[in-house]
Amino acid sequence: MKVLKASNYDDMSRKVANIISAQVILKPDARLGLATGTTPIGAYKQLINWYEKGDIDFSEVSTYNLDEYRGLGKDDPQSYRYFMDHTFFDHINIDKARTHVPDGTNPDAAAACAAYDKLVKSAGYTDLQLLGIGRNGHIGFNEPSDVFSKGTHCVDLTPSTIEANARLFDKAEDVPRQAYTMGVQTIMHAEMILVAASGADKAEAVRNMIEGPVTPECPASILQLHTNCVVVADDKALSQCTSMASV
Ligand code: PGA
């Protein structure tokens, strides 16, 4: 695990965007695993800016998002498909047919998850998987548990995740209680993993991810075992880490 220190959110966003941009320049038909949430918004804005300047071409890129709320479709402003379209895809020259998000509208959870898993696997998994980290150490919607998950599956969101995501909804009751998410094993198949973290509310999770034992109680801790994992975190997110050397 390589840890890159950023001075603040904007610096973190530029570093993350630089790494994604390098991936697309080196491999124009790259398969990018993408994430939603507040953390990657600045990186997506930076990538849009470089696209507008003619520095990046997304025409051959394919994307695979980590997760989607169960029951929400592309027209629902709270869905992750809507987020990706409006925050990123609608502003770059990506072929929408190559952008993938689990199908939250399929009420058959087993079928929706199996189809998504098959899709990601048959594509050969991702070249680069971007991840945020939850305050409880979750990656995607893989919540703390007593086992690491494998393929795409339906999860019950924990109270802490519902509370963290409530800020994006009118009322906490509106936050869906379930989601379809890539499993930890699927995420670990990525050639490279890029974790972005910003802010003091992530400091404990970031410490557990980098310095804690590898345990499903902190799903992100498994990333210590990935052979090509880069963490870009700002000062506040790294404030509880005791060692800042690459580990
Ligand atoms: P955030 O979410 O970027 O909105 O903090 C990250 C996550 O929960 O994975």
Side-chain angles (χ1 to χ4, degrees):
M1 192 175 255
K2 188 175 181 65
V3 182
L4 305 179
K5 191 170 183 164
S7 48
N8 53 35
Y9 179 79
D10 289 344
D11 185 30
M12 178 210 72
S13 299
R14 277 195 308 277
K15 285 183 164 66
V16 167
N18 262 302
I19 294 168
I20 296 172
S21 165
Q23 171 68 75
V24 174
I25 290 168
L26 288 166
K27 187 168 186 270
D29 61 347
R31 297 182 300 275
L32 301 179
L34 296 181
T36 51
T38 312
T39 309
I41 292 175
Y44 292 148
K45 277 198 184 133
Q46 182 65 76
L47 289 168
I48 292 166
N49 179 266
W50 287 331
Y51 161 70
E52 287 169 347
K53 288 184 173 154
D55 289 340
I56 321 178
D57 175 11
F58 291 93
S59 60
E60 290 178 54
V61 168
S62 328
T63 65
Y64 298 86
N65 262 77
L66 286 166
D67 44 18
E68 178 60 282
Y69 287 119
R70 186 178 191 187
L72 303 194
K74 66 177 171 44
D75 298 326
D76 190 314
Q78 304 294 356
S79 74
Y80 285 171
R81 162 53 80 178
Y82 185 100
F83 174 98
M84 290 308 301
D85 285 349
H86 289 255
T87 310
F88 193 34
F89 300 149
D90 287 347
H91 308 284
I92 56 174
N93 66 334
I94 198 160
D95 175 357
K96 279 277 187 78
R98 291 189 220 226
T99 67
H100 309 282
V101 180
D103 181 7
T105 64
N106 185 347
D108 183 341
C113 293
Y116 198 68
D117 227 39
K118 201 170 154 200
L119 182 78
V120 181
K121 187 177 178 185
S122 62
Y125 298 103
T126 57
D127 294 300
L128 183 155
Q129 175 68 58
L130 175 64
L131 297 176
I133 177 169
R135 297 176 205 177
N136 60 5
H138 75 200
I139 48 175
F141 271 131
N142 294 284
E143 302 282 30
S145 165
D146 46 11
V147 287
F148 285 112
S149 62
K150 297 189 175 65
T152 305
H153 59 293
C154 180
V155 287
D156 295 328
L157 305 186
T158 61
S160 92
T161 296
I162 292 168
E163 188 202 316
N165 292 4
R167 70 187 192 281
L168 307 169
F169 288 77
D170 289 339
K171 304 191 284 299
E173 303 89 84
D174 293 343
V175 185
R177 269 34 187 177
Q178 288 187 312
Y180 300 154
T181 183
M182 263 190 213
V184 169
Q185 187 183 47
T186 314
I187 292 170
M188 288 288 281
H189 274 293
E191 268 312 300
M192 176 185 180
I193 294 186
L194 176 59
V195 188
S198 170
D201 61 335
K202 299 293 175 69
E204 187 182 350
V206 168
R207 184 193 64 212
N208 290 336
M209 167 177 68
I210 298 173
E211 298 178 349
V214 174
T215 164
E217 286 164 30
C218 174
S221 65
I222 192 88
L223 301 174
Q224 292 175 33
L225 303 185
H226 195 279
T227 50
N228 190 7
C229 177
V230 175
V231 178
V232 184
D234 65 13
D235 284 340
K236 287 184 179 152
L238 289 170
S239 58
Q240 289 190 24
C241 291
T242 51
S243 88
M244 262 310 300
S246 293
V247 285

